[in-house]
Amino acid sequence: PTTDPENLKIADMTAQLLNETGYIKNGMSMQTGAGGTSIAVAAAAGQIMKEKKIRGSFASGGITSYFVEMLKEDLFQGLLDVQCFDLKAIESIRENPKHQEISAMRYASPAAKSAAVDSLDVVILGATQVDTDFNVNVHTDSNGNIMGGSGGHCDTAAGAKLAIVVAPLIRARLPLIVDQVLCKSTPGDTIDVIVTQRGIAVNPKRKELKEKLIKAGLPVKEITELKEIAEKITGVPKKVELGNRVVANVLYRDGTLLDTIKNTL
């Protein structure tokens, strides 16, 4: 997990959000990414589960040693594993019958009769950029360079009851929130909450969730407010210049064209 104080603050705030909104409960299911902040969220949520003596149903996705430990501590009944991220996960899937291997189709395909992502209560996701319409970019960095694939990012956001993006508001002197992402990896209508160290933005379609978080005393802000806070610190970044040559197509989970990635100049 991350050791950065600001990212730990994001993780603690996210765990508090889950607790205050009632998502940390018996039978809960969740997934986190393999990034440091996401793992820290799992650790913080696990601590609340221990204190409240809560046992979840399953954790899924790319499995790390943190979920393996949570399974050993009986915080989850099982793990649904589509990808082992470390050696502890490999050892666990070999030895523990509660740690089950599943196919990518069983994990996330819209064509599957019972995809695991459709049974998720909570998913914790990362982002390189988020725009004011809550669209998320994970394919490219803030300069438009391709970083890699998106894994189950858009699948879990579409399937989970609560999709949370955790990310620092400023990364490498550039703001997280922009007017329009350079690449739409996950549509904004499937993202519920953005958690940064400077505040939490809730998608306008989740009014009841926003009210709960305000009532709980969490630092809820409009997404445009977070953008302004970041830009006061960093300044407004120079617009990235892109060419006309398409270097990659971004396909949504149903196979439709979601976006294109163009060459940088």
Side-chain angles (χ1 to χ4, degrees):
T2 182
T3 56
D4 180 274
E6 291 201 325
N7 287 335
L8 287 173
K9 182 179 178 181
I10 293 170
D12 288 340
M13 203 184 299
T14 305
Q16 187 182 350
L17 181 159
L18 294 175
N19 192 34
E20 294 289 348
T21 52
Y23 279 93
I24 297 182
K25 60 184 179 180
N26 283 317
M28 67 177 286
S29 56
M30 73 179 297
Q31 178 175 330
T32 69
T37 306
S38 295
I39 292 173
V41 172
Q47 189 57 42
I48 295 172
M49 291 171 74
K50 288 179 193 175
E51 291 169 1
K52 298 177 77 171
K53 294 182 170 51
I54 282 169
R55 190 187 190 213
S57 55
F58 72 90
S60 70
I63 299 298
T64 65
S65 59
Y66 272 81
F67 274 139
V68 169
E69 289 304 314
M70 292 172 84
L71 179 65
K72 286 180 180 177
E73 293 172 355
D74 205 32
L75 296 179
F76 287 103
Q77 295 175 40
L79 302 180
L80 300 181
D81 192 333
V82 74
Q83 180 182 10
C84 290
F85 273 128
D86 55 35
L87 290 175
K88 287 281 179 69
I90 293 169
E91 291 170 3
S92 174
I93 204 169
R94 182 183 66 210
E95 297 166 3
N96 192 340
K98 293 180 180 180
H99 187 160
Q100 301 172 30
E101 179 183 356
I102 60 172
S103 68
M105 183 168 183
R106 166 73 178 86
Y107 167 60
S109 173
K113 289 183 178 179
S114 179
V117 296
D118 294 330
S119 297
L120 282 173
D121 288 316
V122 177
V123 63
I124 309 298
L125 300 165
T128 55
Q129 292 179 312
V130 179
D131 67 26
T132 50
D133 291 320
F134 286 78
N135 298 309
V136 179
N137 177 15
V138 290
H139 280 102
T140 78
D141 63 17
S142 297
N143 296 310
N145 301 305
I146 294 176
M147 298 173 63
S150 63
H153 201 285
C154 69
D155 304 289
T156 51
K161 293 183 180 70
L162 183 67
I164 303 174
V165 168
V166 296
L169 189 59
I170 298 166
R171 186 187 281 122
R173 301 184 301 281
L174 291 170
L176 171 74
I177 313 293
V178 294
D179 288 321
Q180 184 177 1
V181 289
L182 290 173
C183 170
K184 187 191 292 185
S185 305
T186 297
D189 61 359
T190 63
I191 298 296
D192 299 302
V193 186
I194 312 294
V195 181
T196 76
Q197 75 276 31
R198 297 297 184 102
I200 298 169
V202 182
N203 194 314
K205 71 186 181 77
R206 297 297 304 268
K207 289 180 181 178
E208 79 297 336
L209 180 63
K210 183 176 181 180
E211 289 169 4
K212 280 185 181 179
L213 299 183
I214 292 171
K215 191 175 179 181
L218 287 164
V220 176
K221 293 180 170 60
E222 298 300 320
I223 197 164
T224 49
E225 284 183 80
L226 290 178
K227 180 175 179 287
E228 289 169 7
I229 290 168
E231 289 178 350
K232 281 180 183 177
I233 299 169
T234 66
V236 178
K238 183 181 176 182
K239 188 175 180 180
V240 176
E241 292 187 37
L242 299 174
N244 294 317
R245 181 168 59 89
V246 174
V247 299
N249 289 326
V250 179
L251 302 183
Y252 194 48
R253 60 196 306 257
D254 60 2
T256 56
L257 183 66
L258 185 61
D259 204 348
T260 57
I261 300 175
K262 294 182 178 178
N263 63 304
T264 55
L265 298 177

